[in-house]
Amino acid sequence: MQRRSALKSLAVTFGGLVSLPAWASSWTPDSVGPVSLVSFDEETLLGEIVETFIPETSTPGAKSLKVHQFALRMIKDCYGESAQTTLQQGLALTETTAQQAYSKAFAACDAPQRLDVLSRMVASTDPAGKPFVDLAKRLTIQGYTNSEYYLVNVQKFTMAPGFYHGCVPVSKLAVNGTK
């Protein structure tokens, strides 16, 4: 009886591991593909929000690595309907907060103004403000640190560590078998 339940648990665990999204690590924008969760304008706004969290410097920013597409894919495939609602409400709240604070769209604000808008959302009493900023920040960091650019250029990840040198000159002493 215990062996049967242990086998069931093992099968469920194995099935869960197999169903994990393989694209979530070392992803590229091509592997994520198009996501039709939000409108084009909302996707652009999310791109500006992730760029606020990780701006472009001498290294590419989150927007140029298309982390916002990663976040959309994660919310669509891995999160529940409540996260999708939080995303929709948070994007609308971002624009509303930017309009109230600076009388312009979030995308037209400069970096300190954008940070201020996001800080106001965290401190606001709106139930969608803080969860949206936390969700966007978490997915931005996850997407950036799991991107192919970050893993290859920053973490120096190599698929198969070690090197094979197939053509190495052999010294005469080693050929004769004496040292």
Side-chain angles (χ1 to χ4, degrees):
M1 195 66 167
Q2 289 181 345
R3 186 167 77 186
R4 181 174 291 173
S5 65
L7 288 173
K8 269 188 195 177
S9 298
L10 183 64
V12 169
T13 303
F14 181 72
L17 289 176
V18 168
S19 66
L20 279 176
W23 52 264
S25 64
S26 186
W27 61 274
T28 61
D30 295 334
S31 67
V32 171
V35 180
S36 61
L37 185 62
V38 294
S39 69
F40 179 74
D41 291 339
E42 291 172 331
E43 183 178 336
T44 304
L45 175 60
L46 186 61
E48 297 298 330
I49 292 170
V50 300
E51 184 70 14
T52 303
F53 291 130
I54 302 176
E56 186 154 341
T57 57
S58 60
T59 59
K63 184 180 175 185
S64 61
L65 290 181
K66 300 190 185 300
V67 171
H68 58 289
Q69 291 180 349
F70 172 84
L72 288 174
R73 174 62 72 184
M74 285 292 287
I75 290 171
K76 182 180 179 188
D77 290 354
C78 301
Y79 286 78
E81 210 168 290
S82 65
Q84 295 176 9
T85 304
T86 300
L87 174 70
Q88 297 279 342
Q89 292 174 346
L91 289 173
L93 182 64
T94 303
E95 279 298 331
T96 304
T97 306
Q99 286 291 338
Q100 289 174 349
Y102 298 104
S103 301
K104 54 185 171 183
F106 182 81
C109 294
D110 59 0
Q113 291 173 338
R114 289 180 179 187
L115 287 173
D116 183 53
V117 167
L118 294 175
S119 297
R120 287 177 188 226
M121 290 175 59
V122 169
S124 74
T125 57
D126 193 305
K130 183 171 176 18
F132 169 74
V133 173
D134 290 344
L135 177 70
K137 187 184 294 184
R138 182 175 52 245
L139 288 174
T140 300
I141 293 170
Q142 181 182 1
Y144 194 84
T145 56
N146 286 326
S147 69
E148 183 178 9
Y149 170 79
Y150 183 84
L151 290 176
V152 170
N153 298 315
V154 177
Q155 290 291 321
K156 306 294 183 195
F157 175 78
T158 54
M159 181 66 92
F163 299 97
Y164 174 72
H165 301 286
C167 184
V168 177
V170 178
S171 66
K172 289 184 177 184
L173 294 176
V175 172
N176 293 334
T178 59
K179 287 190 171 188

